Amino acid sequence: MKTDFYDRLAEPARLTELARYDLADPTLRATLDQVAERSAKLLEAPVSLVSVLGADAQQIVGSYGLRDWVATPQGAPAEWAVCSRTVLNGEPYCVADFSDDPVHAANPFLASTGLRSYLGVPLVAPGAVMLGAHCVVDTRRRIYTDVDLAVLTDSAEEAMEALLACRR
């Protein structure tokens, strides 16, 4: 039996771990917003997110640079969220130009936002459980470097420390 790629987001152990975090804690949100802002500024990207992935949707728990209608829902269906790939692959994920990428070229969310490139690293909980991702997204085609990845990885570790402080 073939399992759909996104079905793996609903693995019980991953969802059980995710449920242990108080994602509504306002102090957590403020801290993760600061992490996202710092990442965006260091990497000169207009948008940065800290998000977790539930069984079928992305929830943005920290952000910088989201505007207009994109900021309101604070998430997206898993199939539209590029961070899903980061979580499901369990490793950094990079796309230089969504319009050239066969996986993302037809993504309606990306087409409507004008976002064009992505670099994300997983947020890894105890037991190597992939909770979510920390990413930067740009409105231009962009080749991310090893230095960019190192900066984002450091920030993801900081985001995970903040999340762990709100783990029940």
Side-chain angles (χ1 to χ4, degrees):
M1 180 176 153
K2 183 180 176 216
T3 302
D4 183 75
F5 185 71
Y6 295 100
D7 287 348
R8 290 189 297 132
L9 289 174
E11 290 175 346
R14 200 182 76 73
L15 295 177
T16 298
E17 178 63 23
L18 182 59
R20 296 183 69 185
Y21 296 81
D22 182 5
L23 300 175
D25 183 307
T27 304
L28 175 63
R29 178 63 194 229
T31 300
L32 296 177
D33 284 348
Q34 290 171 353
V35 170
E37 180 177 4
R38 192 167 39 257
S39 294
K41 289 181 176 180
L42 287 171
L43 297 175
E44 299 178 358
V47 175
S48 179
L49 306 174
V50 178
S51 64
V52 296
L53 273 292
D56 57 6
Q58 172 192 43
Q59 179 183 354
I60 298 169
V61 293
S63 67
Y64 175 80
L66 289 181
R67 304 262 186 272
D68 305 323
W69 70 269
V70 178
T72 303
Q74 290 297 298
E79 295 85 5
W80 294 1
V82 181
C83 289
S84 294
R85 293 274 169 176
T86 305
V87 170
L88 292 169
N89 291 335
E91 61 187 22
Y93 186 67
C94 182
V95 180
D97 190 339
F98 292 128
S99 65
D100 293 340
D101 188 274
V103 173
H104 302 289
N107 183 321
F109 178 75
L110 297 173
S112 65
T113 61
L115 297 172
R116 203 156 161 207
S117 62
Y118 173 94
L119 176 64
V121 295
L123 298 173
V124 185
V129 176
M130 304 297 154
L131 287 186
H134 178 39
C135 69
V136 290
V137 192
D138 210 325
T139 55
R140 62 186 169 93
R141 175 178 169 72
R142 183 157 173 192
I143 305 298
Y144 293 96
T145 68
D146 289 342
V147 172
D148 295 336
L149 179 57
V151 168
L152 195 62
T153 298
D154 287 348
S155 294
E157 289 172 4
E158 184 180 349
M160 196 62 227
E161 286 174 18
L163 284 160
L164 285 169
C166 291
R167 186 175 186 237
R168 301 173 257 195

